[in-house]
Amino acid sequence: MRSYPDVEVDEDEFAKLIRRMNPPRVVVDNDSCYDATVIRVDSANKQGILLEVVRVLTDLNLIIRKAYISSDGSWFMDVFNVTDEAGNKVLDGEVISYIQKSIESEVYFFPELQNSIGAMPSKEHTLIEVTGSDRPGLLSEICAVLATQLCLVAKAELWTHNGRVAAVLHVTDESTGGAIEDPERLSTIKKLLCNVLRGNSDSRIGRMAISLGLTHTERRLHQMMVDDRDYEMVSMKGDVDDTVRTHVAVMDCLEKDYTVVILRSKDRPKLLFDILCTLTDLKYVVFHGTVSSGKEEAYQEYYIRHTDGLPINSESERQRLIQCLKAAIERRASEGLELELQTEDRGGFLSEITRIFRENGLTIRRAEISISGNDTFYLSEMSGNPIDQKTIDLIKGQLGDTVLRVKQKLKVPPKPPEMVGSVNFIFGNLFKASFQSFR
């Protein structure tokens, strides 16, 4: 019998060939549902495609009202009911075209451009990542260091949770307007920022990194906070019991060899994206799922396995997943007064405004700084008391030529829902759901 030598197959090239033979099909339907745009995505399945499809939708600030997910086997089939932020259908032709082109090309054929854990090279910004123990005035100290080094913060986002903080800052050289490339200068900035992060007695020393590149900020913040173990429960004075609003159950579905994850929480934008980030980064694959949201509450149900094909098989892994999912829900749901600022003068703005907050006894719970000049801060008093009108008036007087808008969020927790008691009942209901529920 003739023998043949072993032939090595380039799996990456083979996978690319399969994807090109089965390109995704994206249908945007504004007729079948009276109050939402229905987006259907069908394609050959691949790892991470669900998260990237949701990323495209959430980056456009679209609200996912319902979703049906099925990716068991080699085929991927999802349906999303979406609206814009005002609750209207997506009728803009340019937006619809962007959704179709992004999912059918970049997300599917070039996932490495979107699924970035690190940073992609860029000459426009220097990327600074910071994690550590949260304390009042930390962002102000970081901004002060950058200002002394003639750096401008073009864009930044900061999250706090469970006493930990993570921030991603896009910084430019004040003189050139581009990325900072001098190694000696970068070393000095890193040394000074590390000194700022050491300004506490916490046993977990803060970490920071500098690179020349761009990254998906929100995805990166989730990864940074998981690496920093913000999901571990700590004793925080004055904190409210998180089970009042967030409910996570992880159960076995032995007859189908899945792990079932059920989440009930207060609804908010980008909630689905945050959950999928966590499941993906923890190496879980979603095979089936349903998502629905009402005026107050969101319900999510997933059937998952680990990337090795096995369901969760230990109590410790189960508890860690529950903790991580609760953290993912809570990170972007910071309590505090929402303050929106708009200014045309960006030079030194962030350093100045954070100094004003600190001097008025306020601490930043979350922040979103944009290049456009529309910035949002979520603030609370260092003492934990509500911010009074006198403090707001003082801040308005110090800000000068800045447009300021205050929005106080209500803190009324929803009634705790009853959990589903039977996995068989849940599993049966999932597959009884059909596309008719989206019409």
Side-chain angles (χ1 to χ4, degrees):
M1 182 181 295
R2 178 181 298 180
S3 61
Y4 297 91
D6 293 336
V7 178
E8 294 185 2
V9 178
D10 188 334
E11 294 184 354
D12 290 338
E13 291 301 321
F14 183 72
K16 290 178 182 178
L17 175 62
I18 295 298
R19 291 200 294 268
R20 288 187 171 90
M21 292 174 62
N22 299 276
R25 185 170 67 97
V26 180
V27 177
V28 179
D29 178 8
N30 273 308
D31 297 324
S32 60
C33 181
Y34 74 95
D35 62 351
T37 297
V38 179
I39 299 176
R40 298 183 179 87
V41 183
D42 301 298
S43 72
N45 195 17
K46 75 178 183 68
Q47 177 68 21
I49 187 174
L50 173 60
L51 174 59
E52 297 310 319
V53 169
V54 172
R55 180 197 59 77
V56 169
L57 300 178
T58 55
D59 281 354
L60 291 169
N61 292 321
L62 299 180
I63 309 300
I64 299 175
R65 304 295 182 184
K66 292 182 181 180
Y68 174 84
I69 300 162
S70 180
S71 59
D72 204 353
S74 59
W75 200 253
F76 172 87
M77 180 177 62
D78 284 3
V79 181
F80 302 93
N81 278 24
V82 305
T83 66
D84 62 18
E85 293 178 289
N88 302 316
K89 290 186 177 184
V90 182
L91 301 175
D92 189 318
E94 290 185 5
V95 174
I96 292 173
S97 177
Y98 177 84
I99 292 171
Q100 293 173 322
K101 290 179 180 179
S102 296
I103 295 175
E104 292 175 352
S105 58
E106 294 178 10
V107 165
Y108 195 72
F109 292 113
F110 307 104
E112 65 277 4
L113 297 179
Q114 308 295 335
N115 191 22
S116 59
I117 294 179
M120 294 180 289
S122 172
K123 294 290 185 179
E124 297 180 359
H125 300 105
T126 296
L127 190 69
I128 297 179
E129 299 178 349
V130 175
T131 55
S133 179
D134 186 28
R135 69 173 188 273
L138 179 60
L139 181 58
S140 177
E141 294 177 38
I142 292 173
C143 293
V145 166
L146 295 174
T148 61
Q149 298 301 306
L150 304 180
C151 301
L152 296 178
V153 178
K155 180 181 177 183
E157 191 153 352
L158 175 144
W159 291 355
T160 64
H161 180 250
N162 260 0
R164 310 302 294 175
V165 61
V168 175
L169 302 95
H170 299 258
V171 177
T172 62
D173 189 319
E174 188 177 277
S175 60
T176 66
I180 302 167
E181 300 180 347
D182 181 5
E184 185 175 344
R185 187 179 176 192
L186 290 173
S187 178
T188 300
I189 294 172
K190 185 173 183 178
K191 181 179 179 180
L192 293 172
L193 290 178
C194 284
N195 288 336
V196 170
L197 294 175
R198 291 193 187 100
N200 58 75
S201 58
D202 185 66
S203 58
R204 282 187 279 173
I205 301 299
R207 293 177 292 177
M208 65 87 55
I210 296 179
S211 63
L212 299 177
L214 298 172
T215 187
H216 191 277
T217 303
E218 294 167 340
R219 174 80 189 278
R220 186 66 187 132
L221 284 167
H222 277 299
Q223 293 162 340
M224 290 164 63
M225 297 208 86
V226 168
D227 291 343
D228 196 47
R229 307 197 309 277
D230 77 309
Y231 54 86
E232 295 180 351
M233 299 305 297
V234 294
S235 177
M236 299 290 290
K237 184 178 179 180
D239 272 5
V240 179
D241 184 1
D242 65 333
T243 60
V244 172
R245 291 170 299 177
T246 303
H247 300 260
V248 180
V250 178
M251 299 173 285
D252 297 324
C253 183
L254 299 178
E255 64 270 32
K256 298 293 183 179
D257 212 24
Y258 290 121
T259 294
V260 184
V261 179
I262 300 174
L263 306 99
R264 291 182 185 269
S265 67
K266 182 178 179 181
D267 191 27
R268 61 167 175 78
K270 301 188 178 183
L271 180 61
L272 176 57
F273 174 80
D274 294 339
I275 294 300
L276 293 178
C277 277
T278 299
L279 290 174
T280 301
D281 292 336
L282 294 177
K283 308 300 182 184
Y284 294 106
V285 178
V286 176
F287 288 87
H288 301 282
T290 57
V291 176
S292 64
S293 61
K295 294 181 179 179
E296 294 274 337
E297 185 184 72
Y299 175 85
Q300 300 181 56
E301 179 180 315
Y302 302 102
Y303 293 79
I304 67 170
R305 295 188 189 122
H306 200 269
T307 51
D308 60 9
L310 299 176
I312 292 176
N313 56 17
S314 71
E315 185 60 26
S316 60
E317 184 182 2
R318 187 190 312 274
Q319 291 303 318
R320 181 172 182 264
L321 176 58
I322 291 173
Q323 288 182 329
C324 288
L325 289 174
K326 285 185 177 181
I329 293 171
E330 294 165 1
R331 287 178 194 131
R332 211 195 291 258
S334 301
E335 298 293 338
L337 182 75
E338 183 178 349
L339 197 67
E340 297 179 355
L341 301 172
Q342 185 174 10
T343 179
E344 296 181 1
D345 179 18
R346 305 300 292 173
F349 165 77
L350 191 55
S351 176
E352 179 70 11
I353 188 62
T354 53
R355 179 189 61 79
I356 291 174
F357 289 157
R358 184 191 64 203
E359 292 177 352
N360 284 279
L362 304 181
T363 185
I364 299 172
R365 298 300 183 189
R366 187 157 61 94
E368 300 172 8
I369 314 298
S370 67
I371 297 175
S372 64
N374 297 312
D375 308 318
T376 303
F377 296 90
Y378 297 82
L379 309 171
S380 67
E381 283 200 353
M382 297 179 188
S383 62
N385 296 323
I387 301 174
D388 57 28
Q389 186 60 46
K390 181 180 178 180
T391 302
I392 297 300
D393 292 339
L394 286 172
I395 293 174
K396 287 182 178 180
Q398 293 175 281
L399 287 177
D401 296 329
T402 301
V403 178
L404 181 148
R405 176 174 174 264
V406 179
K407 180 180 179 182
Q408 180 67 55
K409 289 188 174 181
L410 298 177
K411 300 180 181 180
V412 181
K415 182 180 178 181
E418 295 182 5
M419 298 301 295
V420 180
S422 170
V423 174
N424 290 332
F425 176 77
I426 300 166
F427 193 84
N429 282 346
L430 170 65
F431 293 104
K432 286 179 182 178
S434 66
F435 293 105
Q436 293 178 353
S437 64
F438 292 87
R439 298 181 177 179

